[in-house]
Amino acid sequence: MNDSREPIGVIGAGWVGLVTAACFAELGHDVYVRDIVQEKVDSLARGEVPIYEPGLSELITKHSDRLHFTVDMGDVLPNANLLFCCVDTPPSYSGDADLSRVERVVEEVGGSTDHALVMKSTVPVGTGRSIRRRSDSLGYVSNPEFLKEGTAVDDFMRPDRVVIGEDVNGATPFADRVAALYEPLEAPIVRTDVASAEMIKLASNAFLATKISFINEIANVSEELGANVDEVARGMGLDQRIGPQFLKAGLGYGGSCFPKDVTALKQLAGNSGYHFQLLTAVIEVNELQKRRAIGKLQKHLGTLVGKEIALLGVAFKPNTDDVREATSLVLAGRLQSEGAHVRVYDPVATERARDMLGGAQVKTSASEAVDGADAVVLVTEWPEFRELDWHDVKARMRRPLVVDGRNFLDGELLKQAGFTYEGVGR
Ligand code: UGA
C-alpha cells in the first residue's frame, strides 16, 4: 500500500487510459476514469475490459474498489486535481495529429485553477505551450507514455524512464506531485520543459522506426550481396551503442503509433520550415518492404491474377488484437488489386479486421487458410505459426511457396520439407 495516496483523474478509457488507471490503482491510488462512451463505462464498471492487453483485466478486477468509471467530468473534478489526458490523437488527412479530442478536454477543464492537465496523449511539440497560452490558470504537465501494446502493464510498472515536462513561472507543485506518483517505480525521472518532453516522445518513436527501416535496407542489400540480415543484426546488436532491439527485419512497422508519429514529426518539421530528410526515407522504406514481398510472390508465381494467397497473421504484431495500420491490411488490399484471391487467418484479430479486409476471406484456422493456396505469406509472428505441421501445410497447398515476412520460420527446415522459402534479407 502506498502511504502517499493521490486521487487521480484519467480522461479517456482507451488503451493508454486504462493501463494508466489500472497501474495507478495497483500503486495504491483511487482513480476516477472518465470516458464519453456510456456503453464502455457501463461494461468497465461491470469489470469487462473492451481491449486485449495481458494483465490489464486482472488489475481492473483486483482494484474494482479503487477504480471509478464515469461519463461525467463532474464526478472527476471534485475528487482529483491531477487529470491525466489519455484521449487519442489520430492522424488527420494532412498528416498532422488531430487534436480535437484534446481540445474538448481543455474546454471542459480550462477554467480551473485547482487542476493540472497531465498530457499522456501524444501531441505535436508546442501543444502544451498553446494550451497554456489559452488557459493559463490551468496547470499543465507533459508526461508522455512509452507503453508497447502486449507488454503495456509491465512497461508502466517497470519503465526505462519517466519523462515529466513543466514550464513554471514560479514554483508550482503539480509536476512534483506527478513525479511523486512514479517514485515507487524506482526509474530515472527526466524533469524538463514541456516542449522537450513532447519532443522526447516523438523523437523516441521516430528513432525506433528509423532503426527498423535501417535494418530493412540492410536486409534488402544483403539479399543482393549474399549476407544474412539475422546474422548482421546479431553482430551489430552486441555493440552496446547500437543494442539488439528493433533490429528485426521484415515487412516494416505498423500499429497506431509509429506510422502516425513519424508522419506527424515530419509534418511538424515541415510546418516549421525544416525538411526532415531522414524521416521521408524511413517512410518510403517502410512502404517498400510490402512491395518487395509482393515482388517475391510474382517472382515465383508470375501474374497474381486468380492466385490464392494465404496471409498468416492480421494483427500489427503478435499478442494484440490491434489491426490499426497493420501490414496485413495493406497486403490484402494490394494483392487483391493485383487480381489475387486472398484468405487470412489470425488467432485473435480477424473479427476487428473483418470490415477492413476488402474481399479477403476470413478463415478460422491456419490449416483452412492454406488449403489449396498458391503461396503463404507470414505477416505476424504469432508463436502458433512456428508450431504448424509444415508437412501437412505442404500437402494442403497447391504450390509449396512461403514468403516469411518476419524471418520467423526455420527456412532450412522448410526447404528440406520441399518448400520454396523466401525470407527478408536471408
Ligand atoms: C510503440 C513504441 O515501441 C512504444 O514505446 C510507444 O509507447 C508506442 O509505440 C506508442 O507511441 O504508444 P507499439 O506500437 O505498441 O509501441 O509497438 P512496437 O512493439 O514498438 O512495434 C511497432 C511495429 O514495429 C510493429 O509493427 C512491429 O512489427 C515492428 N517492428 C518492431 C519491426 O518491424 N522490427 C522490430 O525490430 C521491432
Side-chain angles (χ1 to χ4, degrees):
M1 181 68 67
N2 192 327
D3 49 13
S4 57
R5 291 219 240 156
E6 163 98 40
I8 290 162
V10 168
I11 315 301
W15 174 77
V16 173
L18 287 178
V19 172
T20 301
C23 290
F24 278 136
E26 173 76 354
L27 292 172
H29 306 285
D30 274 311
V31 188
Y32 297 83
V33 186
R34 188 282 187 120
D35 197 282
I36 52 172
V37 180
Q38 181 78 54
E39 286 160 26
K40 193 191 267 186
V41 167
D42 291 344
S43 63
L44 283 164
R46 288 194 302 271
E48 292 162 17
V49 181
I51 50 169
Y52 174 82
E53 181 61 41
L56 180 62
S57 65
E58 288 84 343
L59 280 186
I60 289 180
T61 307
K62 180 175 166 196
H63 298 300
S64 57
D65 54 333
R66 290 184 198 149
L67 288 162
H68 315 276
F69 297 101
T70 178
V71 284
D72 189 354
M73 196 69 102
D75 292 334
V76 180
L77 297 181
N79 288 308
N81 300 125
L82 299 178
L83 307 172
F84 283 79
C85 181
C86 301
V87 297
D88 57 339
T89 52
S92 64
Y93 282 118
S94 63
D96 293 316
D98 171 1
L99 293 181
S100 55
R101 294 167 185 80
V102 171
E103 292 296 343
R104 273 207 295 280
V105 175
V106 174
E107 268 168 41
E108 283 179 282
V109 300
S112 171
T113 49
D114 302 328
H115 294 90
L117 199 60
V118 186
M119 190 58 71
K120 276 224 170 281
S121 304
T122 302
V123 293
V125 181
T127 303
R129 196 184 312 133
S130 117
I131 290 175
R132 290 220 51 193
R133 218 180 280 134
R134 284 173 291 141
S135 321
D136 61 353
S137 55
L138 180 71
Y140 189 92
V141 179
S142 168
N143 175 218
E145 53 87 11
F146 300 100
L147 310 173
K148 295 184 292 302
E149 290 190 29
T151 56
V153 170
D154 198 50
D155 290 342
F156 190 102
M157 299 307 282
R158 296 195 295 132
D160 288 343
R161 80 304 207 181
V162 172
V163 173
I164 296 175
E166 193 187 35
D167 294 325
V168 277
N169 307 316
T172 128
F174 287 124
D176 292 345
R177 282 164 67 180
V178 174
L181 294 173
Y182 289 104
E183 258 152 35
L185 304 179
E186 293 178 356
I189 295 183
V190 180
R191 298 281 294 262
T192 183
D193 61 281
V194 169
S196 300
E198 292 166 341
M199 184 60 107
I200 288 169
K201 167 68 191 188
L202 286 177
S204 298
N205 274 0
F207 186 81
L208 292 170
T210 304
K211 219 175 161 188
I212 296 170
S213 280
F214 181 86
I215 200 68
N216 280 336
E217 290 224 275
I218 294 293
N220 298 344
V221 181
S222 293
E223 283 178 10
E224 302 305 321
L225 301 182
N228 178 337
V229 73
D230 297 339
E231 295 299 304
V232 176
R234 187 159 67 96
M236 286 170 64
L238 286 168
D239 184 326
Q240 289 187 23
R241 294 166 302 174
I242 298 172
Q245 296 190 58
F246 285 75
L247 283 183
K248 261 179 21 220
L251 293 166
Y253 56 82
S256 64
C257 305
F258 284 179
K260 166 181 80 110
D261 291 350
V262 173
T263 307
L265 182 52
K266 175 179 169 251
Q267 190 71 22
L268 203 59
N271 294 350
S272 76
Y274 182 78
H275 175 50
F276 205 139
Q277 303 184 55
L278 207 48
L279 293 186
T280 306
V282 167
I283 295 167
E284 273 174 24
V285 172
N286 204 47
E287 290 302 311
L288 176 66
Q289 294 314 99
K290 283 109 187 142
R291 288 204 299 277
R292 285 179 69 93
I294 292 175
K296 284 172 186 167
L297 290 171
Q298 287 164 330
K299 181 172 105 186
H300 295 285
L301 300 177
T303 173
L304 297 181
V305 175
K307 299 288 169 12
E308 298 285 342
I309 311 292
L311 302 184
L312 293 186
V314 175
F316 87 94
K317 64 175 187 177
N319 298 319
T320 175
D321 62 352
D322 196 339
V323 296
R324 285 176 290 175
E325 302 282 331
T327 301
S328 58
L329 304 181
V330 179
L331 283 179
R334 297 228 181 116
L335 288 168
Q336 288 175 90
S337 65
E338 292 287 334
H341 301 148
V342 178
R343 45 300 252 304
V344 303
Y345 166 69
D346 188 283
V348 302
T350 35
E351 276 320 306
R352 268 182 196 268
R354 203 175 272 276
D355 297 340
M356 299 177 232
L357 286 161
Q361 288 179 47
V362 174
K363 302 292 188 182
T364 53
S365 70
S367 317
E368 211 186 294
V370 302
D371 243 347
D374 292 294
V376 163
V377 183
L378 187 129
V379 185
T380 316
E381 59 275 43
W382 284 101
E384 73 168 70
F385 297 147
R386 208 180 250 157
E387 306 306 319
L388 284 175
D389 176 348
W390 284 93
H391 289 283
D392 177 59
V393 172
K394 181 162 174 274
R396 286 171 182 274
M397 289 177 70
R398 197 147 68 184
R399 287 176 226 221
L401 171 59
V402 172
V403 174
D404 180 359
R406 298 289 171 190
N407 285 355
F408 184 62
L409 303 170
D410 186 334
E412 287 312 311
L413 216 71
L414 286 186
K415 282 182 198 160
Q416 280 164 23
F419 280 95
T420 302
Y421 173 87
E422 291 271 4
V424 181
R426 278 179 153 177

